[in-house]
Amino acid sequence: GIHPLLIKAPLYKYNKDPTSAEHMSGYCTKHAMVCRSLLIFNNICLYTSDEVLGARAILESQSAELLPKHPKWNRMRLLAFDGDGFAKLLVSLVEDPNNHNSSVASYIAGECHKKSRCDIAVQELKALVGHKHIVHSMVAKAPESESWLQLMAHMVVSVLALNPKVVMLVHTNLDAHVLFDDNFMQHFGDRLRIVPMCIEEVASEYGFLTPWQHIKAHGNGRPFYYVHCTDFYRYLVLYITGGTYLDTDVILRQDLSKLELGNSIGRESEHYVNGAYIHMVEPQSVVMKYCMESQPLTYNVWEWGCAGPMKLTSAARVFVNTTDLVVLDVNAFYSVHWSKHEQYVDQVVTDAEYEAFGQTQYGYHLWGKMMFAGLQHGQAPSIKRHSIAGRALAATCQPAIMHCLPLS
């Protein structure tokens, strides 16, 4: 009786030839527990979080066998599935056939699906507490251009290729295939995880609902709201798990785990620090707690940097004479100031100069928003091959699994 339900799910497209051993009905005969787990995911709102996590464990245990045959299987690892598809399926189960207005059922399905996703997001963060090599990044809304996606792929490679122990979490409510190709996800396997971005639910779980609701109540609908969301959420996930946060336009040059930088942020100029890089050695950092709890005192909906760079600059002053925070020199991540961002892409450096830079420069915040400003649809930025950005991008280009940013 489960076959009609299974074939509705877009991720489970095995060989459709009925004579093939990989035909779905034949497959489920041989792998009953796997198909039951797929069914649980397909009807996620009807099951408890424990049941869904159990199903996920079963799917993960089979991934080594199935992944080479089915690249899209990798998306099932956590919650990178078609949310709308599951919500519609639930509507078909609860909708009154005599009621042609399905808006109420659609709302129920959507809310139920969101709750299930966020329950598991909370559990995923809890499971990673104490992990010594974790990196977070975030995508709050769909990237504005293909170049953004290409730059983000370079960032992921720069992180995961430098340290084979790193697990990277990309927090987003977008589907995985919007951000990364199947080959890219398959290449990194369980080290690259797409996690739902559930700010309110996670903030509530860890006692930071009040400052978050202040931002939401005053900022929602304002021009910088999504920026403030990611500012707050990076503090929250680092408070929970510790580890490193990186913006999607940061390219690493060095394995940060070998540098022993301590709880640290980077200075972007003489007077300001920036939140494109943050590292907290252990969970429950007092610095991240300060950055969240003090938001209601300083939040300004019209100020782009109020919840991010300005808040971190304030934290740097508060903790300047303590062991709780180190402010790294401007060369660590911001060797080119945002006002001169063109130098990253058009100023040529020699091999010797670039090698020397690597002694004090841990990575490059490439100021992607400015780099891509004014580009038309399908247009790529002009990046000289022997510029700092060109060299960093060339070092992180793996054409077999990604579309690299073009260099001139």
Side-chain angles (χ1 to χ4, degrees):
I2 68 173
H3 183 67
L5 288 176
L6 284 172
I7 62 175
K8 288 186 178 183
L11 295 181
Y12 320 140
K13 294 179 180 177
Y14 297 87
N15 191 328
K16 295 182 179 180
D17 180 0
T19 63
S20 169
E22 292 296 337
H23 181 60
M24 178 58 85
S25 58
Y27 181 87
C28 287
T29 301
K30 297 179 180 179
H31 303 87
M33 289 302 293
V34 172
C35 281
R36 182 180 185 278
S37 299
L38 291 174
L39 180 62
I40 289 175
F41 268 82
N42 198 41
N43 296 276
I44 191 170
C45 292
L46 304 180
Y47 294 87
T48 66
S49 294
D50 288 342
E51 289 174 309
V52 174
L53 289 170
R56 176 191 166 199
I58 292 173
L59 296 177
E60 285 184 330
S61 71
Q62 300 295 317
S63 62
E65 173 191 350
L66 296 171
L67 186 56
K69 300 178 183 178
H70 307 290
K72 289 188 178 182
W73 181 274
N74 198 39
R75 294 199 202 139
M76 286 300 302
R77 208 178 47 252
L78 183 56
L79 286 170
F81 46 64
D82 179 2
D84 291 338
F86 289 107
K88 290 175 182 176
L89 179 59
L90 186 61
V91 169
S92 71
L93 298 176
V94 303
E95 184 179 3
D96 183 347
N98 298 319
N99 180 9
H100 297 290
N101 182 358
S102 63
S103 60
V104 174
S106 298
Y107 174 78
I108 294 173
E111 288 300 303
C112 179
H113 174 73
K114 176 184 175 184
K115 183 178 187 303
S116 299
R117 285 166 56 88
C118 292
D119 283 348
I120 298 181
V122 170
Q123 295 300 320
E124 178 75 7
L125 289 169
K126 286 183 177 179
L128 288 170
V129 171
H131 193 293
K132 298 301 182 184
H133 302 279
I134 180 170
V135 176
H136 300 274
S137 194
M138 294 174 190
V139 183
K141 57 182 180 179
E144 299 173 358
S145 69
E146 180 68 19
S147 295
W148 264 113
L149 296 174
Q150 293 170 330
L151 180 55
M152 182 164 56
H154 282 277
M155 181 272 290
V156 172
V157 170
S158 80
V159 172
L160 297 181
L162 283 171
N163 186 343
K165 296 180 180 179
V166 166
V167 172
M168 184 166 197
L169 272 63
V170 178
H171 302 267
T172 184
N173 289 323
L174 300 173
D175 289 337
H177 70 271
V178 174
L179 304 178
F180 304 112
D181 292 341
D182 289 334
N183 288 340
F184 193 84
M185 293 287 293
Q186 181 181 354
H187 179 79
F188 291 111
D190 197 47
R191 297 179 61 212
L192 175 59
R193 307 183 186 184
I194 310 300
V195 184
M197 191 171 179
C198 298
I199 306 178
E200 185 150 333
E201 291 78 6
V202 177
S204 177
E205 179 74 17
Y206 286 90
F208 296 100
L209 187 58
T210 297
W212 162 245
Q213 287 183 332
H214 182 90
I215 292 176
K216 182 179 179 181
H218 294 83
N220 195 5
R222 306 297 187 183
F224 304 127
Y225 179 61
Y226 286 105
V227 175
H228 298 158
C229 287
T230 59
D231 287 334
F232 185 88
Y233 203 48
R234 73 190 66 182
Y235 308 144
L236 182 56
V237 297
L238 288 176
Y239 178 84
I240 296 168
T241 68
T244 303
Y245 169 84
L246 293 175
D247 273 356
T248 58
D249 56 352
V250 173
I251 306 295
L252 293 185
R253 283 202 65 175
Q254 299 192 39
D255 177 2
L256 301 182
S257 66
K258 297 179 180 179
L259 299 178
E260 298 184 356
L261 300 175
N263 293 344
S264 54
I265 52 181
R267 188 177 298 283
E268 72 167 47
S269 67
E270 180 182 357
H271 300 293
Y272 291 100
V273 299
N274 192 292
Y277 158 85
I278 308 174
H279 179 73
M280 295 292 129
V281 177
E282 299 290 344
Q284 299 186 15
S285 159
V286 295
V287 179
M288 296 297 95
K289 184 178 181 181
Y290 166 83
C291 287
M292 290 185 286
E293 290 185 338
S294 62
Q295 288 289 344
L297 300 176
T298 57
Y299 186 62
N300 181 350
V301 299
W302 304 109
E303 181 64 58
W304 173 83
C306 73
M310 293 173 68
K311 180 57 64 179
L312 287 168
T313 300
S314 173
R317 297 190 183 107
V318 170
F319 296 98
V320 64
N321 293 319
T322 73
T323 59
D324 296 310
L325 186 64
V326 175
V327 180
L328 302 176
D329 182 77
V330 68
N331 281 323
F333 290 95
Y334 310 99
S335 55
V336 173
H337 190 259
W338 63 265
S339 63
K340 301 177 181 178
H341 64 93
E342 299 93 345
Q343 293 182 5
Y344 266 142
V345 300
D346 62 18
Q347 184 170 301
V348 173
V349 297
T350 66
D351 292 348
E353 288 173 328
Y354 189 70
E355 184 66 25
F357 291 159
Q359 302 301 313
T360 58
Q361 296 171 359
Y362 308 143
Y364 301 110
H365 184 210
L366 296 181
W367 308 109
K369 188 175 182 66
M370 299 170 193
M371 182 192 299
F372 303 137
L375 294 180
Q376 301 299 316
H377 179 71
Q379 184 181 7
S382 176
I383 305 173
K384 292 184 178 179
R385 185 175 302 275
H386 293 102
S387 64
I388 290 178
R391 291 175 180 274
L393 293 170
T396 54
C397 175
Q398 297 189 16
I401 60 170
M402 62 187 281
H403 299 287
C404 304
L405 275 170
L407 305 176
S408 59

